[in-house]
Amino acid sequence: MLLLRSHRFPLPRCLAYSAFVSSYKSALGSPLPSLPRRRSMAKYGTSASPSPSRFLLRQLFEKESSTYTYLLADLAHPDKPAVLVDPVDRTVDRDISLVKELGLKLIYAMNTHVHADHVTGTGLIKKKMPEVKSVISKVSNAKADHVVEHGDKIYFGDLFLEVRATPGHTQGCVTYVTGNGPDQPYPRMAFTGDALLIHGCGRTDFQAGNSRQLYQSVHSQIFTLPKETLIYPAHDYKGFTVSTVGEEMLYNPRLTKDEEAFKSIMENLKLDYPKMMDVAVPANMVCGLQDLPTKA
């Protein structure tokens, strides 16, 4: 399903560019692209002062499951529309409070996949904010207001996220990538869920996981993005917050191997059974809300 966008109008591209990426110049083998000059607002009939960034990104953390939730918004649009990627039930009140404090209009609460280590906050958000629509991939077979497929675009204001199917950790994993265009954020950003972590990847031993499929997904759908593309995963257990495509192509200890070596690594991880899986997966299949038994 292709989600509808609001009316477009020309505005300067986002100039947000995280300073840390300069440290990757040597790792990528060539200098990163120069930051484009700010455009004067004079051509739009206002002042000649530099225009502010139109794109808002907040990275939020839930410590029990080491989950990152991402808040994205189009600040240049009159409504300041926003989306939440991978919300957690434990931090819904925090996330909603932040949305209100920033004066944003939350329109979508979306998941990269059916999580096994925490219950999504999507259902609780919808209870507190009925106008918000839930989003998940069609292949996941989970309940949501909108189910998306590879190639769909999810618009919030005049910005959008491109849906890329990246199965392998689970059958229904998708990566959400910021748009490619003059009015879209630069550098691009990929919200990879568990498909690609910082110097790691999600396990492939449950929920129809498949190591060969994950390897092919990452190499064909994520590693083909520009090397300066920022990688924002759903989890991190070592305190890292962000990486780049170029860094992962050089230093990811699993995905820099060939496909056979990667398969061998994934088959011999010997990880414990996820302690929340029997609760989280059934809840997440129904938007994070279990059907409660009727009281006598």
Side-chain angles (χ1 to χ4, degrees):
M1 175 184 295
L2 182 63
L3 303 188
L4 298 178
R5 62 180 174 89
S6 59
H7 180 68
R8 294 182 63 83
F9 54 88
L11 282 166
R13 72 163 58 182
C14 168
L15 300 177
Y17 192 75
S18 301
F20 80 93
V21 295
S22 62
S23 63
Y24 302 139
K25 287 182 179 179
S26 58
L28 298 180
S30 60
L32 290 173
S34 298
L35 186 64
R37 291 182 179 272
R38 291 181 179 269
R39 297 186 195 175
S40 169
M41 289 299 289
K43 67 179 291 187
Y44 297 101
T46 59
S47 68
S49 60
S51 62
S53 169
R54 72 175 302 161
F55 178 70
L56 177 141
L57 169 65
R58 294 291 182 269
Q59 183 179 40
L60 309 169
F61 189 64
E62 195 285 307
K63 63 181 181 179
E64 295 299 321
S65 59
S66 297
T67 299
Y68 285 126
T69 296
Y70 299 96
L71 175 63
L72 291 67
D74 182 354
L75 298 181
H77 191 278
D79 293 334
K80 296 185 179 179
V83 302
L84 274 172
V85 178
D86 287 333
V88 180
D89 62 342
R90 296 172 183 266
T91 51
V92 161
D93 289 339
R94 175 202 67 186
D95 298 348
I96 291 177
S97 293
L98 180 60
V99 167
K100 292 179 178 179
E101 287 172 3
L102 295 175
L104 308 177
K105 180 181 179 180
L106 186 62
I107 55 175
Y108 296 123
M110 42 205 292
N111 286 289
T112 52
H113 64 291
V114 174
H115 301 275
D117 54 2
H118 69 269
V119 176
T120 178
T122 306
L124 289 177
I125 291 171
K126 284 174 57 61
K127 274 197 165 184
K128 295 172 182 287
M129 305 176 73
E131 70 278 9
V132 176
K133 303 300 182 183
S134 56
V135 179
I136 202 166
S137 73
K138 182 177 182 180
V139 178
S140 70
N141 293 316
K143 180 181 178 181
D145 296 311
H146 293 293
V147 290
V148 292
E149 299 179 272
H150 181 80
D152 285 351
K153 293 179 180 179
I154 303 169
Y155 278 87
F156 52 108
D158 291 295
L159 304 179
F160 67 89
L161 293 171
E162 172 192 329
V163 179
R164 293 195 175 204
T166 49
H169 169 61
T170 73
Q171 190 174 19
C173 284
V174 295
T175 291
Y176 299 116
V177 184
T178 54
N180 185 23
D183 295 330
Q184 302 301 313
Y186 180 81
R188 299 182 75 181
M189 305 168 200
F191 301 90
T192 56
D194 288 9
L196 178 62
L197 305 178
I198 297 174
H199 296 193
C201 64
R203 60 197 294 177
T204 58
D205 57 337
F206 58 76
Q207 287 183 273
N210 184 295
S211 58
R212 290 189 184 277
Q213 191 176 44
L214 179 58
Y215 186 90
Q216 293 164 7
S217 292
V218 172
H219 280 265
S220 66
Q221 299 302 322
I222 300 176
F223 283 179
T224 52
L225 290 164
K227 289 183 178 181
E228 67 270 20
T229 302
L230 302 174
I231 299 297
Y232 287 106
H235 301 281
D236 190 84
Y237 308 99
K238 297 180 180 180
F240 297 119
T241 58
V242 64
S243 181
T244 66
V245 167
E247 180 178 342
E248 295 307 316
M249 290 176 69
L250 286 174
Y251 300 123
N252 191 295
R254 298 176 184 177
L255 288 155
T256 51
K257 305 291 193 294
D258 61 36
E259 188 172 330
E260 288 302 322
F262 176 78
K263 181 174 181 292
S264 177
I265 290 171
M266 300 306 291
E267 289 176 350
N268 291 282
L269 292 178
K270 297 181 173 60
L271 299 173
D272 293 334
Y273 188 80
K275 62 181 181 180
M276 282 288 293
M277 183 168 177
D278 293 338
V279 174
V281 171
N284 292 338
M285 290 295 292
V286 291
C287 202
L289 293 175
Q290 297 278 23
D291 291 330
L292 299 177
T294 303
K295 293 184 178 180

